[in-house]
Amino acid sequence: MAQIGYTLMCEQTPPRQLVDDAVSAERAGFDYETISDHYFPWLEEMGHSPYAWSVLGAVAQATERIPLMTYVTCPIMRYHPAVVAQKAATMGALSDGRFTLGLGAGENLNEHVVGNGWPPVNIRHEMFGEAIEIIQALFGGEYISYRGDHFTVDSAKLYDLPDEPVPVGIAASGRQSVDLAAEYGDALIATEPDAELVERFRASGGAGKPIYGQLVVSYDTDAKAARERAHRLWKWFPAGWKVLAELPGPVNFAAYAQFVRPEDVAEHVPCGSDVDAVVRAVKEFTDAGFTHVALVQAGADHQREFLGWAEKELLPALRNL
């Protein structure tokens, strides 16, 4: 049976509400929670983007049992990997071991803010590999020094570590990143129910490790309103990762999204109150071999209604997968 998660979407929700939603999701019976880690929202209409790590600290104290995870943090530009290791270790300690560090190679949208440009994908993967090596070495608790092609660490050590090392999940979308995830990661993270990615991950050394996916939904008792909201907030989504990783700002996402129709979004996002539609969409992930699927409810103003529906109707139905 797949674990069903709830996503704290920083790009659409103010920070205080994110903490309240985390508590409500735990009470509703979700198995784990993920949080996005952005500097910008994808669209201006989304309207928010608080610092995920501050929110995580508050969520760790406000919740009791539920596992937490970044989905995902980029450790190659906006954050130096030595700083990511410290943040993650602190979160592991604050949450009593409930934290998993989800890592990815990032988006131009968030990383350009430090003014170092946006490297081509092959360079980003090189940087990502070095960053993972640094983070995992620091999790060992000893002094490390590191000199790679992209990163240098000068005699660093983490003084506050959880009892067990923080698990590392690695986002992947193609062969190179899947192999990296299998070699270095404790879990695979992917955005689409791609069985070939899962098979390659398992064959490359990831057998038995968790595999995380994510599904956007737009719950509303008014199906038309649900479709309108999904289109207004998530019309950038059908572009796919090769486009999404390269666009530099919300205005660029809006320029792409002007050509996306409501029906294009609805192909990817179950809209309305049909439990079976969400179950079918989640089943695409589980059939592809995913062990965890986190749900994202579109719209900050509809989280309470979604969580009530999830507790009473959706989660019981998903438990039967």
Side-chain angles (χ1 to χ4, degrees), residues 54-212:
S54 296
V55 175
L56 272 170
V59 169
Q61 297 306 294
T63 55
E64 297 178 358
R65 61 152 185 93
I66 197 160
L68 307 171
M69 179 182 189
T70 50
Y71 199 105
V72 291
T73 288
C74 175
I76 68 171
M77 297 191 73
R78 184 167 41 117
Y79 307 136
H80 190 283
V83 176
V84 172
Q86 184 187 35
K87 293 190 289 190
T90 300
M91 266 305 301
L94 279 173
S95 64
D96 294 325
R98 291 187 283 138
F99 179 66
T100 294
L101 176 62
L103 296 173
E107 299 175 61
N108 192 6
L109 175 68
N110 305 301
E111 307 309 315
H112 78 269
V113 297
V114 296
N116 290 331
W118 186 234
V121 66
N122 63 309
I123 300 300
R124 300 200 304 265
H125 282 162
E126 290 177 10
M127 297 172 72
F128 191 41
E130 288 189 12
I132 295 167
E133 290 179 353
I134 291 166
I135 290 166
Q136 292 190 328
L138 283 166
F139 283 169
E142 303 297 329
Y143 278 101
I144 78 153
S145 292
Y146 184 96
R147 184 172 297 277
D149 293 331
H150 304 285
F151 293 109
T152 299
V153 178
D154 181 9
S155 191
K157 177 182 177 178
L158 300 180
Y159 279 83
D160 289 281
L161 293 163
D163 292 337
E164 297 294 331
V166 173
V168 175
I170 297 178
S173 58
R175 285 188 172 188
Q176 186 177 358
S177 51
V178 166
D179 291 346
L180 193 69
E183 181 178 359
Y184 292 105
D186 301 300
L188 172 68
I189 300 168
T191 57
E192 298 179 2
D194 188 335
E196 290 186 7
L197 282 182
V198 173
E199 290 170 6
R200 184 174 181 90
F201 175 69
R202 288 174 172 163
S204 300
K209 297 178 180 179
I211 300 169
Y212 289 83

Side-chain angles (χ1 to χ4, degrees), residues 155-317:
S155 191
K157 177 182 177 178
L158 300 180
Y159 279 83
D160 289 281
L161 293 163
D163 292 337
E164 297 294 331
V166 173
V168 175
I170 297 178
S173 58
R175 285 188 172 188
Q176 186 177 358
S177 51
V178 166
D179 291 346
L180 193 69
E183 181 178 359
Y184 292 105
D186 301 300
L188 172 68
I189 300 168
T191 57
E192 298 179 2
D194 188 335
E196 290 186 7
L197 282 182
V198 173
E199 290 170 6
R200 184 174 181 90
F201 175 69
R202 288 174 172 163
S204 300
K209 297 178 180 179
I211 300 169
Y212 289 83
Q214 191 175 69
L215 173 70
V216 181
V217 302
S218 184
Y219 168 76
D220 200 303
T221 54
D222 182 338
K224 183 178 179 181
R227 285 168 63 93
E228 184 280 328
R229 187 184 333 114
H231 180 252
R232 177 167 48 86
L233 297 176
W234 292 87
K235 55 191 172 184
W236 52 271
F237 186 66
W241 191 250
K242 289 186 177 180
V243 174
L244 300 181
E246 306 300 333
L247 299 179
V251 64
N252 307 102
F253 281 84
Y256 159 78
Q258 66 181 310
F259 302 109
V260 177
R261 304 166 300 172
E263 54 266 36
D264 298 325
V265 178
E267 288 182 9
H268 301 273
V269 179
C271 297
S273 57
D274 183 355
V275 169
D276 290 340
V278 180
V279 171
R280 287 194 298 271
V282 171
K283 193 171 185 297
E284 291 185 27
F285 283 92
T286 58
D287 286 351
F290 285 71
T291 60
H292 295 66
V293 183
L295 305 181
V296 181
Q297 164 64 13
D301 295 340
H302 293 77
Q303 300 302 313
R304 180 177 298 180
E305 293 85 351
F306 167 74
L307 289 168
W309 176 65
E311 180 178 11
K312 294 176 182 177
E313 299 184 46
L314 181 58
L315 287 175

